[in-house]
Amino acid sequence: MWCSWGRWGLRGLRGVTPSRAAVGALHYDIRSSYIPFDTIVNERRSQAKKSLLVQVNSEKSFPELHSYCSQFGTVLGVHHYTTSNSHHFMLVEFSTEENVSNLLASTTFIQDSDVIPVQSKFLWFRPQNNELRSNIRNIINFSETNDVNKLHVKNACVIPAENLILRNLLQANSISEQIQMLYDMTCLKDLGTRLRYVTARQVESALNGLFPNATVCPFGSSVNGFGKMGCDLDLVVKFTSEDLANNLRSRLVFHTKKSTLTGRTQQQRYMEIISDMIQFFLPGCSHVRKILQARIPIIKFNQDYAGLDCDLSISSTSGLYMSELLYLYGNIDSRVRPLVFTIRKWAKHVALTNASPGKWITNFPLTLMVLFFLQNATDGAILPSFNYLRKHAGESDMRLTDDRVNCSFLRDIKDMKFISQNDSDLKELLHQFFEFYCSFDFSTQALSINEGRAIKKPDYAALYIINPLQINLNVSKNVSYEECERMKIEFRNAAWYLESVSETGNEKESWGLGVLLKEKSSSLKNKFVDYHRIVQVKDLFMNEKKELNDGDKFEKDIHKNKVNNNQIHDDVIEQIDSEISLKTVQNVNIDTEQSQFLSSENVQTRGRKVKRR
Ligand code: GTP
Ligand code: MG
């Protein structure tokens, strides 16, 4: 199992730079190694159940931690990383869930009047005291760090700095190779995915006391193959399981309580309870904010130990199926993901996209634009239409969400008949993407992934991208005319640049993609202010940051600052946050509903006009 994960962690063409001259179009076809989405999700969930996170003093704690953990079962792997505040963590994977239960049964906590003793798989490894040392010596033979016990990954979550990325791009032999390199350097790695599933599992385990069948699943860029290191973690809670309900064979039926609330109010109340649970009881979860007025209410929080920004929603499983669809498209052809990554990065660089909500396009609809282009690529389609996938869906591909959205489509693409004859390389495709949208008639045409071609726009939205799963909805409804115009200008500039640029450069001066990603946005400079973080809340508590020099200091820091801070300051943080959010909303003049699925059909202005900037 370990080996196969190593392969999965790295799969997806890393280091492969297809060359047009050497090979034909089929070289780009990666369907033979396709692993269905459900298989990956199930394996990752099971891996998370067998894993736990341990805060340690440094990576040097590895042999001791490994030996200590080994008394509870076989350790499959230990992955080390540091968080932004330089705290060291190790993710330990055991071979069975039982091993983890045995270990958890042996854990302890430091009793203190203001500590809530919630047990979880987020632990810290304290230095030995003398008594412990002599006890432990009887149990464990500290093993030498031999090959078997080697740290699998060291410092694995470091996001490469911008200048390092640009410097590396200089070494490439062509722009196509630069595009591939950018993808290889920035895509979400194995440990990033593991941490996302462990975080989902933390919330899931907390809910399982009351709802034994509830699941919490990551969706969005964390799982759709288009995630970069450091991307946010979108989570969806599902309370029921179809297998459990209405089982006619069972004669014992559990008593249930009738809900006095209905629909939206009910959802909001439940979200409030979950958000309180996360804020008060879950270790490492801080900065919890409720955005309950959105059509799909969400809870935002940080998981400090995993270094993640999380958005949690309930019962919107269509997002999960949308992630599966994007994952599937990214696995048909090796050019899809590097191209999407480059275009997302370029769009961020020229400020077409931005982390905070607004009237601009976000990564999700932008990705659909790339997929749509690939269905219409100049030298022949690289991706099939969504209708094609729908048409070839078999019995086992049928899916319907709770709110009756039909999410059926062909899921195992290995035997799909569609073959692309297009052998354009990545640079050509990037150039063609910009040219394609320079001449696209946004004023009358809508992008239909379903048809794989443009169709007449049903309304006056500036940008109309049909939601493939719900064709009456526009996923880019929020994009303003002004932003759409700006997008066209940036497409023109990029197309012009790629037309004139030479294919290679030298190792000293920026060239190719390096220049495209260095150019300032032509139509607008410094347009966006990151209202979302006008004040960095953590800066207000700077004095708590401590250097960890020795074990004692480490223990003190952990106990006094880490454990208690979340609880002590949460109220203050909440208050500051609501002020910041308020400013955000006032400054950008958007409705709060835009906070979730901001680019989406879900946005409603509720009678309040969205002011043009
Ligand atoms: P980044 O977070 O920017 O890396 O990309 P992302 O794909 O995760 O986008 P985001 O966090 O905004 O949204 C998460 C997922 O929710 C997407 O991948 C989609 O599956 C779904 N989603 C986002 N926006 C919309 C929308 O406007 N309509 C619908 N139906 N689904 C959306
Ligand atoms: Mg996301």
Side-chain angles (χ1 to χ4, degrees):
M1 178 51 76
W2 177 255
C3 294
S4 70
W5 279 112
R7 180 170 62 84
W8 287 16
L10 295 173
R11 76 188 291 272
L13 320 166
R14 306 203 33 220
V16 179
T17 309
S19 122
R20 181 180 182 168
V23 283
L26 290 181
H27 180 78
Y28 296 112
D29 191 330
I30 49 171
R31 283 175 291 169
S32 58
S33 57
Y34 180 70
I35 300 163
F37 187 74
D38 283 349
T39 312
I40 295 226
V41 170
N42 291 337
E43 288 288 347
R44 287 291 188 189
R45 278 173 54 78
S46 135
Q47 191 180 60
K49 287 179 186 167
K50 293 183 285 180
S51 305
L52 39 87
L53 271 193
V54 187
Q55 185 169 6
V56 292
N57 197 7
S58 76
E59 74 267 20
K60 296 195 184 102
S61 312
F62 166 69
E64 219 173 314
L65 178 69
H66 187 277
S67 294
Y68 190 84
C69 288
S70 296
Q71 64 181 309
F72 302 99
T74 309
V75 173
L76 289 186
V78 180
H79 307 245
H80 166 262
Y81 65 95
T82 52
T83 50
S84 56
N85 48 9
S86 305
H87 290 156
H88 292 253
F89 284 85
M90 290 190 185
L91 184 144
V92 183
E93 188 193 0
F94 282 92
S95 67
T96 66
E97 277 184 61
E98 201 190 346
N99 298 159
V100 174
S101 309
N102 291 343
L103 184 147
L104 288 178
S106 82
T107 53
T108 183
F109 71 101
I110 312 287
Q111 190 137 29
D112 214 333
S113 58
D114 56 359
V115 163
I116 306 162
V118 173
Q119 194 190 37
S120 80
K121 292 201 282 180
F122 289 65
L123 308 161
W124 58 277
F125 194 45
R126 66 172 159 191
Q128 286 176 22
N129 57 38
N130 287 340
E131 192 189 333
L132 202 62
R133 192 170 291 144
S134 57
N135 281 344
I136 282 176
R137 223 172 252 139
N138 295 332
I139 314 168
I140 312 166
N141 285 328
F142 283 115
S143 50
E144 289 295 306
T145 316
N146 57 31
D147 270 354
V148 178
N149 295 340
K150 267 211 179 108
L151 194 56
H152 268 85
V153 194
K154 195 180 148 192
N155 217 358
C157 282
V158 181
I159 301 171
E162 208 56 23
N163 54 1
L164 180 74
I165 295 176
L166 293 175
R167 228 179 312 132
N168 280 346
L169 292 183
L170 297 180
Q171 318 291 324
N173 294 314
S174 65
I175 294 180
S176 291
E177 202 174 301
Q178 288 187 321
I179 296 172
Q180 185 69 45
M181 274 173 89
L182 181 71
Y183 169 71
D184 291 338
M185 279 188 282
T186 56
C187 71
L188 193 60
K189 305 292 186 293
D190 178 53
L191 181 56
T193 306
R194 284 171 183 269
L195 290 174
R196 282 164 169 76
Y197 277 88
V198 167
T199 301
R201 179 68 192 148
Q202 181 190 27
V203 183
E204 184 177 280
S205 307
L207 290 172
N208 281 166
L210 266 183
F211 307 96
N213 293 288
T215 54
V216 178
C217 286
F219 70 105
S221 56
S222 294
V223 297
N224 66 18
F226 297 112
K228 60 174 185 157
M229 292 171 88
C231 67
D232 68 354
L233 169 61
D234 303 293
L235 294 170
V236 59
V237 182
K238 255 182 84 181
F239 284 105
T240 50
S241 119
E242 291 80 25
D243 305 344
L244 184 76
N246 303 324
N247 178 356
L248 297 177
R249 270 173 304 175
S250 177
R251 289 196 53 202
L252 291 173
V253 181
F254 46 79
H255 274 294
T256 48
K257 209 168 187 180
K258 275 222 155 35
S259 169
T260 49
L261 307 165
T262 49
R264 191 176 166 76
T265 331
Q266 181 184 41
Q267 202 182 33
Q268 288 174 343
R269 282 293 291 125
Y270 292 175
M271 293 290 277
E272 272 173 20
I273 296 166
I274 295 175
S275 121
D276 285 347
M277 178 196 80
I278 295 174
Q279 175 171 349
F280 293 112
F281 302 134
L282 298 197
C285 295
S286 67
H287 211 198
V288 182
R289 289 145 288 158
K290 294 169 270 196
I291 301 173
L292 303 182
Q293 298 313 313
R295 194 179 73 112
I296 298 181
I298 56 164
I299 301 165
K300 285 183 159 293
F301 65 96
N302 297 350
Q303 171 40 266
D304 296 333
Y305 301 148
L308 293 172
D309 292 344
C310 312
D311 286 357
L312 181 135
S313 58
I314 57 176
S315 301
S316 150
T317 39
S318 68
L320 208 54
Y321 292 123
M322 185 71 84
S323 307
E324 182 174 11
L325 180 62
L326 295 195
Y327 167 82
L328 190 148
Y329 271 126
N331 273 287
I332 292 178
D333 188 287
S334 67
R335 291 165 290 186
V336 180
R337 288 191 289 215
L339 195 65
V340 169
F341 265 64
T342 303
I343 291 164
R344 280 182 172 210
K345 180 139 183 81
W346 162 82
K348 184 176 175 211
H349 180 73
V350 296
L352 281 177
T353 52
N354 183 271
S356 50
K359 294 177 281 178
W360 38 88
I361 192 163
T362 60
N363 277 332
F364 169 63
L366 184 65
T367 304
L368 293 185
M369 285 181 83
V370 183
L371 301 184
F372 180 76
F373 156 71
L374 290 172
Q375 293 174 329
N376 291 279
T378 323
D379 296 326
I382 288 176
L383 295 177
S385 70
F386 181 59
N387 285 349
Y388 178 95
L389 299 176
R390 274 252 209 250
K391 196 172 136 205
H392 290 87
E395 198 75 346
S396 59
D397 296 321
M398 299 302 164
R399 307 280 192 282
L400 199 63
T401 64
D402 293 344
D403 45 350
R404 309 203 65 74
V405 179
N406 177 7
C407 297
S408 310
F409 51 85
L410 176 71
R411 289 189 146 78
D412 195 346
I413 50 172
K414 263 189 184 149
D415 300 323
M416 188 171 76
K417 296 276 180 303
F418 173 89
I419 304 279
S420 171
Q421 298 301 327
N422 185 327
D423 66 352
S424 305
D425 66 21
L426 284 167
K427 187 233 161 172
E428 287 166 330
L429 289 178
L430 183 65
H431 186 201
Q432 287 165 15
F433 168 85
F434 291 126
E435 282 190 323
F436 178 82
Y437 283 112
C438 282
S439 55
F440 190 86
D441 182 6
F442 289 100
S443 63
T444 63
Q445 302 291 293
L447 285 67
S448 169
I449 306 275
N450 304 61
E451 302 273 340
R453 63 180 176 86
I455 61 165
K456 197 166 171 298
K457 221 162 62 163
D459 69 23
Y460 294 108
L463 176 63
Y464 206 110
I465 304 173
I466 295 167
N467 178 337
L469 297 176
Q470 290 169 280
I471 54 171
N472 54 333
L473 302 176
N474 172 11
V475 300
S476 50
K477 189 175 175 176
N478 65 301
V479 176
S480 67
Y481 277 92
E482 188 190 352
E483 283 301 317
C484 193
E485 282 308 309
R486 218 165 68 69
M487 206 163 67
K488 286 191 257 175
I489 294 170
E490 294 301 347
F491 286 149
R492 261 199 300 279
N493 288 337
W496 176 84
Y497 168 72
L498 286 172
E499 208 165 277
S500 57
V501 74
S502 73
E503 181 54 49
T504 52
N506 65 51
E507 292 183 14
K508 298 213 170 62
E509 243 176 88
S510 224
W511 62 276
L513 215 54
V515 177
L516 190 69
L517 300 178
K518 260 188 170 173
E519 280 292 302
K520 279 272 165 286
S521 161
S522 50
S523 52
L524 198 72
K525 284 185 186 136
N526 305 323
K527 178 178 174 177
F528 294 94
V529 180
D530 195 352
Y531 295 106
H532 204 61
R533 285 281 174 273
I534 295 168
V535 181
Q536 287 276 324
V537 176
K538 69 172 165 24
D539 294 344
L540 300 174
F541 304 109
M542 275 305 271
N543 58 342
E544 292 158 9
K545 222 176 155 192
K546 287 218 163 97
E547 285 287 302
L548 304 177
N549 291 330
D550 54 55
D552 287 341
K553 237 176 158 191
F554 169 67
E555 176 165 6
K556 215 166 141 197
D557 180 37
I558 290 264
H559 186 53
K560 289 266 161 55
N561 295 323
K562 288 292 293 170
V563 176
N564 293 339
N565 277 344
N566 287 342
Q567 294 147 28
I568 294 169
H569 298 304
D570 263 340
D571 287 346
V572 186
I573 288 171
E574 182 86 344
Q575 199 186 328
I576 294 164
D577 254 348
S578 36
E579 279 165 29
I580 294 170
S581 316
L582 195 66
K583 272 192 198 136
T584 307
V585 173
Q586 286 164 349
N587 281 334
V588 295
N589 290 301
I590 48 149
D591 196 287
T592 43
E593 298 218 345
Q594 295 193 356
S595 307
Q596 167 72 353
F597 293 171
L598 211 83
S599 58
S600 84
E601 66 280 5
N602 302 325
V603 175
Q604 291 169 12
T605 47
R606 285 194 291 159
R608 191 144 62 82
K609 280 257 163 69
V610 173
K611 261 198 232 154
R612 286 278 190 98
R613 272 172 304 166

